[in-house]
Each structure stands twice: as structure tokens, then as C-alpha cells.
Amino acid sequence: MRSRYLNQLTTPYLFGAVTDQVERHPNPVNLGVGDVSLPLPSCIVEQLQEQAALFGTETGFKGYGPEHGLSSLREKIAKTFYPMLSADEIFISDGAKTDIGRLQFLFDPSITIALQNPTYPTYKEAAILSGKTSFIDLPTLPSNNFFPQDLPKADLYIICSPHNPTGHALTRAQLQHLIDTARQHKSFILFDAAYASFIQDPNLVKTPYELEGAEEVVIEINSFSKLIGFTGLRLSWTVVPKKLHFRDGQSVHRDWSRLVSTYYNGTSRLTQAAGHAALSQEGLQAIHQYMQIYRQQAQSLKQALSPYFDKIYGAEHAPYLWIAASPSYFERMGIITIKGEGFGSHGQGFVRLSALGSSYTIQEAIRRCSQFANLSLT
Ligand code: MLT
């Protein structure tokens, strides 16, 4: 018998529909799905080649790795991003999306989940597929500075910051309020920080663990995808602090370790070696350059579009622009965007543009917009 939950999924999946749209268009400019375009830095390519060559030798060949990830990479991630945590609180995986799905199995179907609206569609779909039925909206709108002050009681808050699709990064005060609320209710926060590397403002935090009490309530998901262009390689990590406990006192860390062992035989050793190279000194420099380039692209796009739209959000701490506009405005120019309601009902009246395309794509989008505006004036 087919799973009853499958009927509740939107068909097709949001990003699949956008990819189809790009393929059907004769001359598209793709600002739709947020896929990276810059090639991998040479230190990563060299590491991949070296490791692949070792696999072809009797002494260098290796089979299964530890299902929780190579301890050297777990240590490197802890040291680079989470000096307050230990390496065994970091779990390596093959993509944030994969873990967003698997993490649902930690929680009973009876729980109530609070979700930003609009938000990345996988959170709710993964919850539905694991039998969850009770959801609360957290309206995420310009009028509430993209975060509701009155947080409802929930068992699990699924939060993305910097936020996909609006680009808003939670302020320290907003994040602390969220953490305090979760502590008060003995709830958890699933915190997707996939865009944290775009944050430049020193007043903002890159990880909730910098704030008081976060280790008691936050599971963080993060990834090399947007950090350094691993959307094709696939490498991510999930942080599960040992201080996290369910209401009955059971350890979340122990349960997650156990659950991963059932579902996973570990991320490719080659990809993990590439992750190591990404966090070397040369890799970190490349990350810095990547971020500068994408931020610059987001800013150029925002600047070029600002004469035509009153309300453009984002582009500061994330590679997305969130514009109060109709998708048809862009469709007429062959510019592919994602309609706001694809991310939830409160996204209606908005479109999301990704600035992660190549510099040619961004320049061509800017050229078409200005050409179209000039034509409309004549
Ligand atoms: C997006 O376009 O929102 C994402 O990059 C796609 C994804 O991560 O699945």
C-alpha cells in the first residue's frame, strides 16, 4: 500500500518545476534555483585527484569509513566554526537536505512544529513524510522584520537564518529570544545555517552556539554547498550537542548517533578529503573570495533593480533577493525566478532571485531589465 503521506506533497517539487522551466525556455537567464557557478578552487581539485589515485593502489585503497564521518574532518569543522563544541558533536553527511529528512525520525509524529512562512519547502515535506500533522506558521514578513515577536509554543522550531528565501539574518536579539522560548518550553530548534558564511556584519552571529543556552536546544545543519561550491560534490554536517536532552532525559546525541548508523554508511572518503582541503589555509582564502564574489553579484543585482522596485529585501547576508513583484515581470524578459508562494502562502506577491549564477548570467539579467525598462518608457 502506498504511503498516505505522499498525497500531501506538492507535485512537482518546487525546485524541480523551476529546472523544467529553464529547460523549456529557448534563451533563459537562470536566477531560479540557488546553485553555485564558480569552479572549485585548485587546492580542492588537487586533493580529489590525489585521493582518487590512492584508491587505485593496494596500500591506499580504503572501504567504508566511519558512518559519523572521519574524525579528522569532524575535528577540523569543530575547530574552524565551533570552538565551544567538541569534534564528536559534529556529524558528517552528504548534504543538508539529506539530514533535514533524517532528523525528522528523532521526533515523535505527535509533535507540533513551528515553521517560518515563507520557508524552504523541504522542512515541511520531510516532516509530513515522517508522519507529522501539526504545524504552526511563523509569519516571516517585512512588517515584522522577518520574525514574529510573539513566538507560539511548539515542540520543534525549524528556522533558517540567513533565511531562504528572504535573505534576512536573525539579529542577536531575535535569536536569543528564540533560544529562550525553546528553553522555556523544553523544545528544540532545528537551525539551518547553510548561508551563515555570507554574514559579514560583526553584530550578527554565524552560529546560535555563540549565544546563551543554545547548546541545550539547538541542532544546527550546515553545508559546504554554498560555502565553497560543493553542490555537485555533496558534503554537509549536523551539530548535535551532548547537552541536548528530550523531556524524558534521553540523550539526543546518543539517539542521533544510533539513528545515523541505521541509515548511513558514511560520506564518500573522497568528498571528505575535499572538505579537509576546503578548510586548509588556502581553502579558507578561497572561501573568502567566493563569498566576496557572490555578495558583490547580489549587490549589483539589487542596485540595478532598485529603480524599478520599491521593495527589495535580502542580498546582504544571503545570495537571494526577495522582491515585491510578479514573476511575470521577469518572465517577459526570459529571466527565471521563483515565485514567492512556492515557499509558503506568506510569500505571495514576492519573487526570489538567486545571485549565485555566473557573472555572465547576472550581467545579462541586468542588461535585460534595463533594456526592458527603456522599452516600456518609449
Ligand atoms: C534553493 O534554491 O533554495 C536551494 O539552493 C536549493 C536547495 O538547496 O535545495
Side-chain angles (χ1 to χ4, degrees):
M1 197 161 87
R2 183 172 180 256
S3 161
R4 76 188 80 163
Y5 306 127
L6 288 167
N7 285 331
Q8 294 172 49
L9 302 185
T10 54
T11 309
Y13 179 63
L14 176 65
F15 298 121
V18 177
T19 306
D20 289 348
Q21 204 187 338
V22 174
E23 276 164 14
R24 279 197 312 268
H25 201 284
N27 188 16
V29 171
N30 186 4
L31 305 184
V33 177
D35 198 358
V36 291
S37 53
L38 289 167
L40 290 170
S42 55
C43 65
I44 294 177
V45 176
E46 282 158 18
Q47 183 60 226
L48 280 166
Q49 286 167 335
E50 208 175 288
Q51 292 296 319
L54 274 177
F55 262 59
T57 65
E58 266 181 41
T59 45
F61 175 79
K62 289 201 172 84
Y64 292 126
E67 62 266 79
H68 300 143
L70 297 173
S71 52
S72 56
L73 183 60
R74 299 172 85 185
E75 272 158 30
K76 193 99 196 170
I77 290 172
K79 207 168 145 211
T80 310
F81 301 109
Y82 312 99
M84 66 297 272
L85 297 172
S86 63
D88 59 355
E89 292 170 302
I90 314 292
F91 294 81
I92 310 295
S93 184
D94 62 355
K97 202 178 198 174
T98 323
D99 271 358
I100 289 166
R102 277 197 286 251
L103 281 160
Q104 282 298 330
F105 294 104
L106 282 175
F107 302 102
D108 192 77
S110 65
I111 66 165
T112 294
I113 302 180
L115 288 152
Q116 290 159 302
N117 179 352
T119 198
Y120 184 55
T122 295
Y123 307 136
K124 188 162 181 181
E125 295 198 353
I128 287 171
L129 286 173
S130 66
K132 316 292 191 291
T133 54
S134 175
F135 298 99
I136 307 176
D137 268 350
L138 302 174
T140 303
L141 308 162
S143 57
N144 63 6
N145 192 20
F146 298 102
F147 193 70
Q149 191 51 35
D150 293 325
L151 285 170
K153 182 174 179 201
D155 300 301
L156 179 65
Y157 299 85
I158 304 186
I159 302 293
C160 178
S161 177
H163 183 225
N164 183 5
T166 68
H168 176 77
L170 292 186
T171 63
R172 272 174 182 266
Q174 288 174 330
L175 191 47
Q176 189 65 64
H177 176 50
L178 174 69
I179 292 167
D180 293 344
T181 306
R183 284 173 90 191
Q184 182 193 338
H185 299 311
K186 299 199 181 320
S187 314
F188 295 105
I189 302 166
L190 203 56
F191 193 87
D192 186 345
Y195 299 94
S197 52
F198 285 85
I199 293 177
Q200 257 189 323
D201 183 345
N203 294 317
L204 299 173
V205 293
K206 292 202 177 186
T207 171
Y209 301 117
E210 287 182 38
L211 300 183
E212 163 100 32
E215 283 178 50
E216 292 163 30
V217 287
V218 177
I219 295 174
E220 182 181 305
I221 303 162
N222 213 315
S223 154
F224 285 77
S225 283
K226 311 289 154 61
L227 183 71
I228 191 66
F230 273 45
T231 52
L233 280 182
R234 316 302 302 145
L235 185 63
S236 67
W237 68 91
T238 290
V239 186
V240 184
K242 289 189 192 135
K243 284 192 187 161
L244 286 173
H245 288 94
F246 290 104
R247 288 179 190 140
D248 65 2
Q250 300 267 13
S251 157
V252 179
H253 184 273
R254 200 184 46 226
D255 282 343
W256 180 241
S257 307
R258 177 67 190 84
L259 204 145
V260 170
S261 305
T262 297
Y263 280 114
Y264 205 45
N265 266 343
T267 307
S268 150
R269 286 178 181 277
L270 293 185
T271 316
Q272 292 191 74
H276 234 286
L279 300 181
S280 66
Q281 212 171 359
E282 213 179 324
L284 292 173
Q285 272 166 11
I287 289 174
H288 182 69
Q289 277 167 3
Y290 269 47
M291 287 301 124
Q292 276 186 327
I293 292 170
Y294 288 132
R295 265 194 227 109
Q296 184 56 48
Q297 293 194 166
Q299 284 300 316
S300 306
L301 203 51
K302 188 172 184 173
Q303 224 168 23
L305 294 178
S306 56
Y308 320 123
F309 301 101
D310 289 341
K311 292 177 185 151
I312 307 183
Y313 304 95
E316 302 276 338
H317 313 298
Y320 299 127
L321 279 71
W322 185 243
I323 306 179
S326 156
S328 61
Y329 179 92
F330 293 97
E331 272 160 26
R332 279 176 289 187
M333 298 177 263
I335 298 177
I336 311 293
T337 64
I338 302 190
K339 59 177 193 289
E341 62 256 46
F343 296 95
S345 54
H346 289 306
Q348 201 150 29
F350 287 85
V351 288
R352 194 199 76 174
L353 273 59
S354 163
L356 291 170
S358 66
S359 73
Y360 169 79
T361 301
I362 304 300
Q363 289 315 316
E364 179 60 9
I366 292 173
R367 192 192 65 76
R368 287 191 195 185
C369 287
S370 98
Q371 190 184 37
F372 182 79
N374 288 336
L375 281 178
S376 328
L377 289 174
T378 52

